[in-house]
Amino acid sequence: MSNTALTDDQVDAELKKLVQFIKQEALEKAREIQIKADEEFAIEKAKLVRSETSTIDSVYERRTKQASLAQQITKSNITNKTRLRVLAARQDVLDDVFEEATKQLFNVSKDSDKYCVLLKDLILEAAFVLYEPVITVSAREPDYELLKKAIPIVEEEFQKAAGFEVKISTNEAQPLPTESSGGVIVQGSGGRIVVTNTLDERLKLLNEESLPAIRVAIFGESPTRKFYD
């Protein structure tokens, strides 16, 4: 082994090599740190983006559902309000129909011959309902003269059909109101059983029983109706 001492120039050269090596190592280490830092930044950035994207998607989905629900509620409210308006308008038409029918009832008694036949039929119908030998009839005061003509015919037709006589009397002490449309009230069993056969009552029954058919005749079948009586 040589024990020759290094010259100053050789020492400087070795020092420069050592410094250069250290600098090179430092640069490489710095690049490694930078690369690792960039990778970690990219990973954290991706995580943050995914998290924010998920949050945004959740908010969007929630708001979309809320908007859809609000739209459905609004549509349902509009549909219900429209349906109620249609039903109200239809009811107004039906009310007008029966109001007009009520007015027309007053014209029924103007033709005395036809009205007399109608009174006879109303009394006869009530007589068959009561099916008793003694009954009384009430009517409007102006109608009692027509009852005198109708009652004998009722008694005759009832006896032929029922096989026994019926005695019909008028109850002029309790006439129907003058403002009524006409018709009769027939009582049996000493007034304990009453058959109301006035024109107003018949129209009321017609209103209740025939309203569905009248509604169909005016407005047609409902497209949403699934069941029928």
Side-chain angles (χ1 to χ4, degrees), residues 173-221:
Q174 294 179 317
L176 297 182
T178 306
E179 65 272 13
S180 70
S181 301
V184 294
I185 292 179
V186 184
Q187 298 179 352
S189 299
R192 292 190 298 272
I193 303 177
V194 179
V195 177
T196 303
N197 238 357
T198 63
L199 299 185
D200 294 319
E201 184 65 21
R202 297 300 287 261
L203 181 61
K204 180 181 178 181
L205 291 174
L206 178 66
N207 188 351
E208 295 173 353
E209 297 176 2
S210 302
L211 185 59
I214 295 173
R215 184 182 289 111
V216 170
I218 296 176
F219 305 112
E221 295 284 359

Side-chain angles (χ1 to χ4, degrees), residues 42-172:
I43 291 172
E44 290 300 321
K45 180 180 177 181
K47 288 181 180 179
L48 181 61
V49 169
R50 283 196 300 270
S51 176
E52 291 300 319
T53 301
S54 178
T55 301
I56 293 171
D57 289 342
S58 298
V59 172
Y60 175 78
E61 183 178 0
R62 185 175 66 253
R63 290 183 178 178
T64 299
K65 289 181 178 179
Q66 291 174 345
S68 177
L69 180 60
Q71 186 179 31
Q72 291 176 6
I73 293 174
T74 301
K75 182 179 179 181
S76 178
N77 290 338
I78 293 174
T79 300
N80 288 336
K81 289 180 180 179
T82 302
R83 180 174 177 273
L84 290 175
R85 284 198 294 267
V86 170
L87 291 176
R90 288 186 173 184
Q91 187 60 47
D92 288 343
V93 172
L94 293 173
D95 290 343
D96 290 343
V97 169
F98 282 100
E99 183 179 353
E100 182 61 28
T102 301
K103 293 178 181 178
Q104 292 298 323
L105 285 181
F106 290 97
N107 297 327
V108 173
S109 60
K110 289 182 179 180
D111 189 327
S112 59
D113 292 335
K114 291 183 179 180
Y115 184 52
C116 185
V117 174
L118 177 60
L119 290 175
K120 184 266 295 183
D121 291 338
L122 292 174
I123 298 171
L124 184 61
E125 181 182 69
F128 279 116
V129 172
L130 295 171
Y131 218 67
E132 296 181 7
V134 178
I135 60 177
T136 60
V137 181
S138 298
R140 298 181 305 181
E141 288 185 0
D143 296 340
Y144 280 109
E145 289 299 319
L146 294 177
L147 289 186
K148 294 177 181 179
K149 297 179 181 180
I151 286 175
I153 302 174
V154 174
E155 292 175 335
E156 180 181 355
E157 292 185 4
F158 182 87
Q159 183 177 2
K160 288 180 180 179
F164 64 91
E165 293 183 358
V166 61
K167 180 62 177 178
I168 304 174
S169 61
T170 57
N171 182 8
E172 298 187 27

